[in-house]
Amino acid sequence: MKKKLPNSLLIPEVAELIRGGHSVTLTARGNSMNPFIVDYRDRLVLSPCSEDQLHPGAVVLAETDNNRYVLHRILYRQGDKLTLLGDGNFNQTEQTDTKHVIGILTAVIRKGRTFYTDSYIWIFYSRWWMKLRPVRRILLAIYRRM
């Protein structure tokens, strides 16, 4: 039997494990990263990260400036300040800084198959998705109707 824990209880425990050098696997919750990550279908592998891994395009679990936990892609980085955007969003960004990053997404497990975020195919699709941001609203509308 699977248990559902609120993020307020789960994420601090996940953060403690990642700070201890462990990778953690969680089931995806939420739709803000569609179409790359699907709610309750995909499992996410989160790992410790270094400062140089926090670049635009990387997907991170972080606490935002308004005290919410999100798993979103880094859109911009200016020094220690990060602007995050979910793949399923077109304009709603969140702000955080590097010290509030809990971990970085290193793999997505979908239907028994593992997709590593440093693989050529993941990077290719991620870059194109970021470039398609001006038309993302239309693409997401089509995706949601499928």
Side-chain angles (χ1 to χ4, degrees), residues 108-126:
V108 175
I109 303 167
R110 175 177 297 151
K111 299 178 182 175
R113 196 164 165 213
T114 303
F115 299 91
Y116 294 96
T117 58
D118 61 354
S119 70
Y120 172 77
I121 195 78
W122 181 274
I123 293 169
F124 175 81
Y125 283 120
S126 296

Side-chain angles (χ1 to χ4, degrees), residues 1 11 14 17 26 39 45 52 54-55 60 62 69-71 81 83 85 92 94 100 105 116 126 128 140 142 145:
M1 178 169 73
I11 301 303
V14 167
L17 287 168
L26 301 171
D39 186 35
V45 180
D52 62 325
L54 301 178
H55 55 78
V60 295
Y69 295 109
V70 296
L71 180 88
K81 299 293 180 189
T83 300
L85 177 69
Q92 181 182 345
E94 291 87 16
H100 288 115
L105 182 71
Y116 294 96
S126 296
W128 271 105
L140 287 168
I142 293 167
R145 284 173 178 75

Side-chain angles (χ1 to χ4, degrees), residues 63-78:
E63 184 176 3
T64 65
D65 287 350
N66 60 358
N67 301 317
R68 287 184 44 233
Y69 295 109
V70 296
L71 180 88
H72 284 171
R73 193 176 299 278
I74 298 173
L75 188 60
Y76 305 113
R77 178 175 179 174
Q78 294 177 330

Side-chain angles (χ1 to χ4, degrees), residues 85-93 133 136-138 140-141 144:
L85 177 69
D87 288 345
N89 300 333
F90 7 92
N91 289 324
Q92 181 182 345
T93 61
R133 190 168 165 228
R136 195 179 283 186
R137 177 180 299 240
I138 296 164
L140 287 168
R144 289 180 181 132

